[in-house]
Structure formats: C-alpha cells, structure tokens
Amino acid sequence: MPAAERNADDANLMYRLLVQGVTDYAIYMLDPQGLITNWNAGAERAKGYRAEEIVGRHFSCFYDAAERGRGVPHLGLETARREGRFEAEGWRLRKDGTRFWAHVVIDAIHDDAARLVGFAKITRDCTERRLQAAQLEETSANLDLALSHMSQGLCLLDAQRRLLLCNGRFREILGLAPALTRRGTSVVAMLRRLAREERADPGEPGPRQRRLARLAGTATHRTDVAFRGRVIAITTRALPAGGWVSTVEDVTDRHRIEGRILHMAHHDALTGLPNRTAFGAHLERALSVGGEIAVLCLDLDRFKAVNDTFGHAAGDALLRTVAERLRAVLCGSGMIARLGGDEFVIALDGPQGGHRVEALAERIIEAVGQSIDIDGHLADVGVSIGVAIGPRDGADPDTLFRNADIALYRAKAAGRNGYRFYEAGMAAAAAARTLLQLELREAVQSGGFRLHYQPVMDLRRGTISGFEALLRWPHPRRGLISPADFVPMAEETGLITRLGAWVLREACLEAAEWRADIRVAVNVSAVQFARGGLEEVVTLALAVSGLAPQRLELEITETVLMSDGEAALACLHRLRALGVRIALDDFGTGYSSLSYLRLFPFDRIKIDRSFIREIGRPENAAIVRAVRALASDLGALVTAEGIETDEQLAFVRRLDCEEGQGFLFSPARPPAAIPALLSGARWTAAQAA
Ligand code: C2E
Ligand code: CA
Ligand code: CA
C-alpha cells in the first residue's frame, strides 16, 4: 500500500476512533438530504438511540413537531449549505421523548471537487448550563425588582469610585437625573454637579457636598446630612472585593418624629413649658456645676374653683395664660416648668443675693394676680410661692425641690398670694405633718373619733334649744386634738368626706335619743359640698336615725358659696326642701359676709366669737346690731358664739340675739353628759344680770 494511501487510512482510522470515543459530544454525519449516515457513542448517549436504530433516518426526528412544522431543521441545513456552518441552541428530543438543551454546530462537508457530500453535526447537551443561566436570570430579575422597590437608595462604586449601578430610589433621594447616574459616571463628577446645583439654591450652602464627597471615599461611614431641606442618612461601606456600596435614606420624617417625641418627653403639652423630667435634669445639671440656684414652687390659689365653675377648657386657657405671664416675668432669666395641675416651678441660676428672689416672687404674684379674661368672664386666681435655695437648702435636686415645696405649703397656710423661704426646721415640721396625716387616715378608717356636744341656749327663756356637735380626736400620744388642727388636713386629703358622713350619722343617731324639741347642729365643710354626695349622706343619716329633718341644722361657712356658688346654692336649696335648717357659721370673719347673706335664705346666722370677745368696743356692737337688724329683715335667727362672761351675755341680750353659745353656759361635753345638762337649772335673766 503506498505511503500516502496508508497515511490516509490511518488518518481515517484515527478520526473514527476519535469520533467514536468522544462521548461528551454527540457527533453524527448527515447526507446532503439530512439522513443520518454515521452516529457516535456520544450521540448514542445523548439521544438514547443506538446506531443501528438511527442510521438512515432523517435528523429532524430530534426536533419536536412544532419546530418541524416551522421548518427549523431544514433551515439549519440550508444555512450550513450556504455559509458552510450553522450554529444554534435549542431544545431537542431524546428517544424517550424527554428534552434537553443542545448547542448545535452543523458543518457542511465538500469533496475535492467542492461538491456537497453531507454534513457533520456536533451537538452538546447544555441543559445544566441552560438551567443555571435561567436561574441566574431569575435571581437577577428578582434582585432588580428588590432594588427598585427598596426604600433606601443604593449604589455600587468600583475601586475608582465610578458608578456601577444604582437604583431608582438613589436617584430620587438625591434628585439626580438619570443621565447623571449612568454606569461609569465618576462619583466625584456627580457630586460636583450636585454641589453646583446646591450653590445655585440660595437657602442651601455647599459645604455638605464636600462631606458627601468625603463619605464616598472612607471605609465605612454613616452620617446624616442636611440636603435640600431634608435629612439624608448615608452609609458607605468598602467592599472586600474593592469598590464601595453606599445606601442613602431619607430620614427627615423619622428625625422630625424623634424630635417631636423628644420634645414631648420633656415638655408639657398644654403650655409648652418644660415638664418635671426636664426640670429635674436642669436642676441636676445646675447643682453639679456648683454655684447657687433658687427653686420657686408655685401653686395657684382658687384654681380649682375656676375649673369647677367655668369648666376644664376654661381651666386650660387659664393655665396657658398663667404660663405666658410667668414667661413674661422671667423673660428668659430662668427655667419655668409645669409639673401638672396648677403647679409650676421656676429655677433661677446664679448668685441669689440682693433680694433678687424676693423681687421676682413679688413680680410673679403681681402678674398672676391680674384678672384673667376667659370667654368674657373675669377669673381671679392668685399664686403662693415657696422658695428654697441650693445648695444651702438642699444639695441634690430632690431635697432642694422638696424643701421648696415645704416652704410653699407654709406660704399657702399663711394665706393667699404670699411667698415663703424655706427655713431649717420646716422639714421636720412637714415630716410631723405627714405622720399626723397617716394617723388621721388610720383614725378615719378605724372610727377613732368622738362627738362632743355644746349646748345652744335660748337667751330669752334661758333654756337649751339644741346642741352643736363638735368633733374630737382622742390621740394616743397627744391627747384630745382640736378639730381646728385636723379638719383642714382632712379637707386637703379628702378624708373629710368620710369623716363628715360619720359625723352626720352619729349626730343624728344621738339627737334621736333626745327630747323632740331639742335640735342638733352639725358643721359641714365646703369640701363635702364640692365632692358631692352630701344630700345622700344627709338623707341616709335622717333615715337611719329616724330624726325629724327639722331638728337637723347644717352649719356652713361662706367658703361653701365662694368656690362653686351655683352648684352649692342648688344643693342648699334641695337640702332645705328636705326640711333641714341651714345656718351661716362664723359670720363676720370673711370679707364679704354681708353679700353672702343675700344669696340664700339662711335660717340662722352665727356671729363669730371674735366680735363677742370685744363686744364692749363700739364698732363691734354696731356691727352686731346691724347684723341683728338685717337678720330680722331676712327672717333669720341670730346666735352669738363664744359667750364667756356675764357681761358678754348681758350685751348680746341687749342686742336682742335669740340664742347664745359659750363656755359661760358649757363647753362641748360627751354624750353621756347631755341628760344632766338638759335637766339642769335654767339660765334666767336674773342670773345673767
Ligand atoms: P366652730 O364651728 O366655730 O365651733 C365652735 C368652736 O368654738 C368649738 O371649737 C368650740 O369648742 C369653741 N367654743 C365654744 N364656746 C367657746 C367659748 O366660749 N370660748 C371659746 N374661746 N371657744 C368656744 P372646736 O370644737 O375646737 O371646733 C373648732 C372648729 O372646728 C369649729 O368651729 C368648726 O369649724 C370645726 N369643726 C368642729 N367639728 C366639726 C365637724 O364635725 N365637721 C367640720 N367640718 N368641722 C368641724
Ligand atoms: Ca360651728
Ligand atoms: Ca363658729
């Protein structure tokens, strides 16, 4: 065999071995019409046909019916025929009908005379890659979707700080035109452009742009930047692979809300003044720095009355006005806070000498004391002030504040519209008060009170016409405590409601045991009116005791009519309708007693003992005479209180007072003493003379 021929045979053999041996590729030959003439092992494996089965069939059997219908196999061959090679990817069928993704190359084969002798077709199963690519596509589509829906703006920069990608929010937040954020844009150029725009905006200077630029260069950085009237949070992080990722977020609203919450946490909603928390912090700071600081505790007088009379909206308006006036008085020189209700507090830093605080307190009292117009009604409130000066009166906020509060309590006790400085010893007194308060509560709960009864004399006949019930508190350590010492406390704490109800029931039960012509007088506090329930308490006491309503007399003072006049008057009228008598107690001690006399048809007027004590003085005698005359006009009886001497008795008799009460006849005695008092000798005119 000639060498050339043997070589050709060898090459042919090598070629066959190679083609047959290759299993990753399906290689087969087609004749010019597309009939399969040769088939390698790879093709067997890929398509599931053995060579004997397939050789002689048309290669279009690997395409599905639809593709055959569209002439796809034919087109491939035509292209290869025309151009020498055809390359494509597509789904192909295996023998068992399953599909695989094939990369196909068809080469046209020509003989030496350039005639087409057939085609070599190489097919590779790329299903795996195809699926991976599909997955990748899906992932990246999802990622795109996620990025475009992020509330944060995001951008990726390469190591040269050129933009790789950014989402829509990024452009939106920074107000960038799409042209400015094309891939490859230099961030520096972008920021420069922004800075130009920024400078063109008169309200917004440019230095923040430098900050923005700096940010884009650092490793990891987070900062809030004011930008076109908004607050943008920018976080920039270096990526391990080089480059940066930046997120930008518009936190304007969050900032605003945080700011508002912070403000709310430290301010009183009604007046806009700092609140207790803010005040405490201020005090803490001032004390820790050293130096003097004055704390003024303020409490409005008669605020409750305004609130009850005009309603809560009016009360709120009043508090706002007071806050305004305080601001005006302080005019920035200290801190005013509202602690709640009608309590305000002021801190005045700096040296407190030279009557500085006194002057301030007086200005405050003056300012708050001016009538306040509420919807056309003039309301008058006053203010009491307690002052403590740190660090002398307290080196820590709590002590200082508590001592100012103790001084306030003293100021209030001394009367309205006053101020008091804290003095050593006040704290101990306050502690004692607190203890007494506890004991009072305990006594109210356990029924630790007694009633004593003081006779009321019919001065004309010299006989007892009734008794006034007077509270007694037998205290284990202090002996009998006078109601003058604990009734105000019971009023402040609200304990008077329970205590007063007990007094009424007890007095009625006791009086029901007496002769039917003897009445009982019971003192009723203004608080019992204000808190309501008095009518029910009276009705119940009468019902339980069976006492005739005409035998019960309620003694009220003009404070009842002062706080909430309308409601109290209505209540008084209803009580009167029950048959109960109403007396005006302590007449003459208030300032406007005479005007109150005309408000309600009182059954009795009790002239305060301060008049009787010095009845010898002409003006006192004149007043008693005037009251006597007015009372007859109004159809009321007059009782003189505190008659201690025969002289006083003779005087009130001459002035024609119907009844009298006093130590001259008898002090208040326990119930057991009553029968003896009732059967005792008469007081005659002769005795008195
Ligand atoms: P008040 O209603 O003016 O009662 C008369 C007070 O004068 C009584 O004092 C009585 O003991 C005292 N007194 C009577 N005669 C004389 C006298 O000749 N000379 C002097 N110097 N004093 C005389 P008391 O019992 O200490 O009561 C003081 C105040 O406590 C009462 O003044 C009344 O306002 C209040 N109070 C007493 N009991 C009650 C009560 O049950 N409820 C309420 N809400 N207040 C009460
Ligand atoms: Ca009384
Ligand atoms: Ca009295």
Side-chain angles (χ1 to χ4, degrees):
M1 198 188 290
E5 233 169 90
R6 211 181 50 238
N7 273 350
D9 270 358
D10 283 355
N12 215 346
L13 181 67
M14 263 175 64
Y15 168 76
R16 289 176 70 95
L17 283 173
L18 189 65
V19 167
Q20 288 304 327
V22 168
T23 51
D24 285 350
Y25 292 85
I27 303 173
Y28 51 100
M29 311 296 283
L30 306 175
D31 72 1
Q33 280 67 49
L35 296 175
I36 297 162
T37 56
N38 218 328
W39 188 249
N40 84 336
E44 236 168 60
R45 218 176 73 154
K47 310 219 170 182
Y49 295 98
R50 276 176 291 112
E52 311 88 271
E53 291 179 273
I54 200 73
V55 170
R57 286 178 67 178
H58 195 268
F59 84 106
S60 60
C61 65
F62 306 131
Y63 294 76
D64 68 23
E67 285 193 302
R68 276 202 303 271
R70 278 189 281 122
V72 175
H74 179 69
L75 258 163
L77 281 198
E78 273 313 299
T79 309
R81 198 194 308 273
R82 209 172 47 243
E83 296 170 9
R85 168 170 272 217
F86 170 78
E87 194 168 351
E89 291 200 352
W91 291 109
R92 297 290 181 271
L93 291 176
R94 293 194 186 91
K95 183 187 173 190
D96 61 9
T98 56
R99 285 147 57 94
F100 67 101
W101 185 260
H103 177 258
V104 179
V105 178
I106 305 177
D107 279 305
I109 301 169
H110 300 90
D111 63 9
D112 297 344
R115 274 177 317 197
L116 180 78
V117 291
F119 301 93
K121 199 168 176 211
I122 303 177
T123 304
R124 192 151 56 101
D125 184 341
C126 298
T127 312
E128 196 78 344
R129 176 171 60 72
R130 162 79 194 185
L131 288 179
Q132 271 170 8
Q135 232 162 40
L136 208 65
E137 223 166 81
E138 195 189 349
T139 307
S140 105
N142 281 340
L143 211 62
D144 276 356
L145 198 70
L147 278 182
S148 58
H149 283 82
M150 263 171 85
S151 64
Q152 293 180 324
L154 179 132
C155 72
L156 270 176
L157 309 176
D158 66 12
Q160 280 71 48
R161 279 177 234 147
R162 280 176 316 216
L163 193 66
L164 289 175
L165 65 83
C166 72
N167 65 0
R169 272 303 276 161
F170 180 80
R171 281 191 286 265
E172 209 173 287
I173 291 174
L174 293 178
L176 297 165
L180 266 181
T181 56
R182 265 199 291 267
R183 192 187 163 103
T185 310
S186 144
V187 171
V188 176
M190 185 169 87
L191 294 175
R192 205 172 286 143
R193 174 70 194 278
L194 270 180
R196 253 202 317 275
E197 284 176 19
E198 189 82 343
R199 252 177 272 127
D201 183 346
E204 298 281 333
R208 67 188 50 105
Q209 294 315 320
R210 284 195 291 281
R211 251 194 295 165
L212 273 170
R214 214 174 37 242
L215 275 174
T218 53
T220 294
H221 197 98
R222 185 200 142 130
T223 192
D224 292 348
V225 191
F227 181 68
R228 290 179 184 167
R230 322 229 10 121
V231 182
I232 312 289
I234 305 184
T235 311
T236 305
R237 214 167 280 125
L239 293 172
W244 284 272
V245 61
S246 255
T247 54
V248 298
E249 196 176 357
D250 187 334
V251 292
T252 315
D253 292 341
R254 200 200 300 157
H255 264 239
R256 202 171 287 150
I257 292 167
E258 279 168 4
R260 205 155 39 205
I261 290 172
L262 203 68
H263 188 271
M264 264 161 56
H266 290 92
H267 288 81
D268 159 48
L270 181 65
T271 60
L273 290 175
N275 63 9
R276 189 184 290 273
T277 314
F279 186 78
H282 177 83
L283 215 54
E284 182 97 54
R285 239 176 293 124
L287 284 168
S288 68
V289 168
E292 284 191 319
I293 181 165
V295 172
L296 291 79
C297 281
L298 280 62
D299 189 286
L300 300 185
D301 304 319
R302 292 187 298 276
F303 172 71
K304 202 189 160 308
V306 172
N307 218 27
D308 290 351
T309 313
F310 299 117
H312 284 286
D316 287 354
L318 184 135
L319 289 172
R320 272 194 291 263
T321 305
V322 168
E324 222 107 90
R325 290 182 184 180
L326 292 178
R327 272 201 197 101
V329 169
L330 269 249
C331 71
S333 64
M335 184 196 220
I336 321 167
R338 177 169 172 245
L339 304 182
D342 58 343
E343 287 173 68
F344 294 85
V345 65
I346 294 173
L348 202 59
D349 309 21
Q352 304 299 334
H355 299 288
R356 184 172 170 227
V357 179
E358 284 94 329
L360 177 67
E362 271 156 25
R363 283 209 312 281
I364 290 173
I365 289 171
E366 158 76 20
V368 177
Q370 309 287 325
S371 299
I372 296 175
D373 189 327
I374 300 172
D375 294 338
H377 299 283
L378 282 188
D380 284 298
V381 293
V383 61
S384 300
I385 306 174
V387 186
I389 295 181
R392 187 192 67 202
D393 299 333
D396 62 283
D398 283 350
T399 312
L400 188 57
F401 180 77
R402 197 180 53 238
N403 287 343
D405 200 47
I406 288 171
L408 168 64
Y409 175 77
R410 288 304 187 87
K412 278 193 104 66
R416 296 164 186 149
N417 276 334
Y419 63 91
R420 278 291 290 270
F421 278 77
Y422 175 79
E423 290 160 21
M426 277 186 182
R433 255 185 66 76
T434 309
L435 176 65
L436 195 67
Q437 252 177 38
L438 282 174
E439 290 172 333
L440 183 67
R441 190 174 298 276
E442 160 65 23
V444 169
Q445 264 149 18
S446 63
F449 293 91
R450 302 286 168 267
L451 281 184
H452 282 191
Y453 297 88
Q454 183 176 38
V456 183
M457 308 299 295
D458 179 330
L459 295 183
R460 293 186 185 128
R461 290 197 271 156
T463 54
I464 292 175
S465 55
F467 290 90
E468 178 177 358
L470 293 163
L471 254 179
R472 296 293 175 257
W473 181 13
H475 189 276
R477 276 178 289 112
R478 305 179 188 205
L480 265 192
I481 303 183
S482 159
D485 294 334
F486 68 83
V487 166
M489 185 185 278
E491 286 175 339
E492 266 168 47
T493 52
L495 283 171
I496 194 71
T497 325
R498 254 183 92 176
L499 186 54
W502 175 82
V503 170
L504 267 161
R505 213 182 40 246
E506 185 66 19
C508 289
L509 282 170
E510 178 61 33
E513 304 288 316
W514 306 335
R515 256 181 19 223
D517 60 332
I518 306 290
R519 49 165 222 277
V520 66
V522 174
N523 294 284
V524 178
S525 149
V527 179
Q528 287 171 270
F529 276 86
R531 303 268 162 98
L534 182 63
E535 281 166 78
E536 287 82 349
V537 169
V538 169
T539 314
L540 198 67
L542 291 171
V544 167
S545 62
L547 189 74
Q550 292 71 23
R551 292 176 63 196
L552 175 63
E553 189 164 281
L554 301 182
E555 297 193 1
I556 66 160
T557 58
E558 59 190 37
T559 50
V560 168
L561 298 170
M562 269 160 45
S563 57
D564 188 1
E566 298 284 304
L569 272 180
C571 180
L572 281 177
H573 279 292
R574 286 193 302 269
L575 286 167
R576 249 298 261 301
L578 291 176
V580 172
R581 306 282 155 87
I582 311 289
L584 185 60
D585 202 358
D586 300 343
F587 185 83
T589 51
Y591 357 47
S592 39
S593 300
L594 284 173
S595 61
Y596 285 111
L597 265 189
R598 299 196 180 275
L599 283 180
F600 185 80
F602 290 100
D603 295 287
R604 178 185 312 280
I605 296 161
K606 298 187 77 172
I607 298 178
D608 193 68
R609 63 175 177 276
S610 56
F611 288 94
I612 310 303
R613 198 185 310 126
E614 296 174 54
I615 194 82
R617 288 171 60 180
E619 62 272 32
N620 281 356
I623 288 171
V624 174
R625 206 172 288 123
V627 172
R628 170 62 281 181
L630 189 60
S632 344
D633 278 359
L634 300 171
L637 299 173
V638 173
T639 302
E641 292 187 316
I643 303 171
E644 295 181 358
T645 65
D646 290 331
E647 219 182 328
Q648 288 165 347
L649 175 61
F651 231 109
V652 297
R653 268 209 175 122
R654 269 207 298 287
L655 292 176
D656 225 14
C657 294
E658 285 87 2
E659 296 189 337
Q661 227 176 311
F663 293 166
L664 178 65
F665 309 108
S666 164
R669 304 289 311 278
I674 291 178
L677 282 170
L678 281 177
S679 60
R682 285 158 139 246
W683 278 86
T684 60
Q687 265 176 299

